[in-house]
Structure formats: structure tokens, C-alpha cells
Amino acid sequence: MAMTLGVDIGGTKIAAGMVADDGSIVAMSRRDTPASDPDAIEATVAEIIEDLIAEHAVSGVGIAAAGFVSEDRSAVRFAPNIAWRERPIAQALKARTGIDVVVENDANAAAWAEYRFGAGRGHEHVTMVTLGTGLGGGIIIGGRLLRGAHGAAAEIGHVRAVPDGRQCGCGNRGCWEQYIAGRALEREAEERATADPDWAPGLLQLAAGHPDGITGPMVTELAMAGDSDLVALLAEYGRRVGAFVASMVAVLDPAVVVIGGGVSKAGDLLLGPAQEGFLAQLSARGHRPAAEIRLAELGNAAGLVGVADLARTRS
């Protein structure tokens, strides 16, 4: 059976992989994203496709994009970090390459990959939460990807948590994204280091003495190395993640909740507190089965693996 090609387009990089029907990646390619130039993005993706299909036969191409995707999976309506507005990606790439193209939101694609080949395999009801720069996710119900009437379902980061809370990039205030995305963890570490230079001194040292240079990977790296201040910070953060998961479970009732994204690399330092916060906030606790919370298994490859499989199965 011919393979399918998955392309994950982010704000800084484009990752592509030739994917077999068991989810394994046979060949890979990476390029920088010319994020401000839509035509250059399409040209770069077309070049990647042509390079990879020169060595492998493909039955289709899937494009994972961080943005709102049309209900027919042909266009990106809006992408916050790429200059795409109502862009007919599938048509444009087919015209360049001659291959059928399916477009899907990157978080939906990652959720599908974890459902099919990763931490959610074996279950028909799976919710994925991705803790990266933003807060994304994907929802599988009865073995089907929930896309909604207009292709815009599962924008879970923009459910409001705090009325009139922090300003969000979506234009509203108080969205969950402002409290549990990876950027929220960075912001809290930065605020604490600014207020108290003796708090987590190794973190300031790693940031060359500048609190605004603190990044999420720095926080998780030092926490995993045993910094007690950062372990405590991650625990607070993880309990908030768990409270958010409890809200999702109240609506969706999944068997498994998969946590992915960059912050998930903290492993049990995140997972344990998240489970604690989840159980503390779970409605009807003790009178319903509790969803299992698991860490994602496929890492950064999830988006391209998932969208390649969606291109193959048209699920």
C-alpha cells in the first residue's frame, strides 16, 4: 500500500514525513517557515513534497496547520502565527504537485495520532490537551474526530476560565490559555524571579540574569534536575492543568485524556499534580469512572503522523 505524506507547518519550522499505515515514519524533511509570505510557504511545502515523493510513492498528502481550517478540509481560514487568511491550501498544492491534499488543524492531527498510534490507542473516546506556546487540543468521540459544523471545534484554549481575566490573543479575556499554556508557566517564573532574585537562582543564571529571558524549557530542565522552587511551581501549574481537565471531562466523558506539548516533557513532575488537581475537581467523584490521564507518546511527530493518517483514511 502506498504511503501518505504528512506536513506539519508551524510558525518557525515545517516538518514533513513519509508515513506508513502503521504510523511509522519512513523519511523526514525539515525547513524553516517563511511565515510572513504565504506564497513562499506554499512553494516551500511543494518543494518538500516533490523531494520526498521522488523516492517514495504516495496516495495523498496531509497538511497540519496551526489555525482554523474550513469544514471541507481544503483551506486555512485564519492562522495566528502565519500570514494565512482564507487561503485555499489544498487546491494550491494540488496544482503544484498533482497530488490530492487534505488540510487539518495541527492539534486535531496530533490528537488523531495519539488515538491511533500513541497514548490513546485502544480507546474510542479520547481527549488531547497540548500545552505549548498556546493551549490546544483535539477530541475523539466514538472513534471519530470531532470537527464541528464549521471545522472549528476543540478550540479548548479559548474556553473562558476567569471573567475579565488576562487578555488573550483571541481578543477575549480570561481564556484558559492564559493560565495553563506553556507561556503561562514562563510568565509565572518570570514574575517570581523578578520579585525575588533568590527564588530559583539557577533559573536566573540560566537566563543570563534577565527574568524576561526565562523560557519554559529552562523551567522544566531545572525542575527535573531537582530545583525545589521549580518543582513546586510545576506542581501548582500541574494542579491547574488537572482542574482544566476536570472541566473537559465533565463535558466530554473520555476514557483517556492525553497531555502533550512542550511542558509534558516534565513527565511525572507534571502528571502527578495534574492527576491530583483533576480528582479534586472531578464532578460526582466516587460515583463515576475517572478518566485516565496519560502523557503523549509521539512527541513532535504527532501532527505530521496524524494528518498523514487522516489523508489516508479520510476520517
Side-chain angles (χ1 to χ4, degrees), residues 1 3-7 17-24 59-63 73 102 104 109 111-117 143 298 301-315:
M1 179 178 182
M3 289 175 284
T4 45
L5 176 59
V7 183
M18 198 69 68
V19 181
D21 58 6
D22 63 356
S24 60
S59 59
V61 174
I63 303 293
R73 286 178 166 154
V102 168
E104 185 54 86
W112 184 258
E114 292 290 344
Y115 157 69
R116 288 273 286 144
F117 309 111
L298 301 180
L304 70 88
V305 169
V307 82
D309 194 63
L310 287 168
R312 176 185 297 106
T313 62
R314 303 285 169 156
S315 298

Side-chain angles (χ1 to χ4, degrees), residues 183-252:
R183 179 67 187 103
L185 181 64
E186 291 177 3
R187 184 174 57 237
E188 287 193 28
E190 179 183 331
E191 289 172 353
R192 295 193 189 192
T194 299
D196 180 7
D198 292 327
W199 180 83
L203 186 60
L204 262 182
Q205 183 178 359
L206 205 58
H210 302 290
D212 59 0
I214 291 171
T215 66
M218 290 178 187
V219 174
T220 55
E221 176 187 337
L222 292 180
M224 294 173 71
D227 186 299
S228 59
D229 289 328
L230 296 176
V231 169
L233 178 65
L234 264 176
E236 292 176 25
Y237 171 85
R239 286 189 287 271
R240 282 203 309 276
V241 171
F244 170 73
V245 168
S247 296
M248 293 296 100
V249 168
V251 176
L252 299 168

Side-chain angles (χ1 to χ4, degrees), residues 42-158:
E42 285 173 10
T44 301
V45 172
E47 288 173 7
I48 292 173
I49 292 171
E50 289 165 352
D51 287 348
L52 287 172
I53 65 175
E55 301 294 331
H56 305 274
V58 298
S59 59
V61 174
I63 303 293
F68 290 85
V69 174
S70 63
E71 59 271 24
D72 64 356
R73 286 178 166 154
S74 68
V76 177
R77 296 197 180 281
F78 172 78
N81 299 312
I82 297 174
W84 276 343
R85 303 294 183 269
E86 304 297 337
R87 193 78 179 182
I89 305 301
Q91 178 183 349
L93 288 174
K94 183 170 183 178
R96 289 176 181 265
T97 66
I99 301 174
D100 288 336
V101 175
V102 168
V103 186
E104 185 54 86
N105 171 269
D106 60 343
N108 280 350
W112 184 258
E114 292 290 344
Y115 157 69
R116 288 273 286 144
F117 309 111
R121 62 188 178 278
H123 296 275
E124 294 295 289
H125 300 271
V126 177
T127 298
M128 185 169 184
V129 176
T130 56
L131 305 171
T133 303
L135 170 62
I139 299 164
I140 314 297
I141 297 178
R144 296 187 64 84
L145 181 64
L146 178 65
R147 303 191 72 251
H150 308 102
E155 286 294 330
I156 61 176
H158 301 293

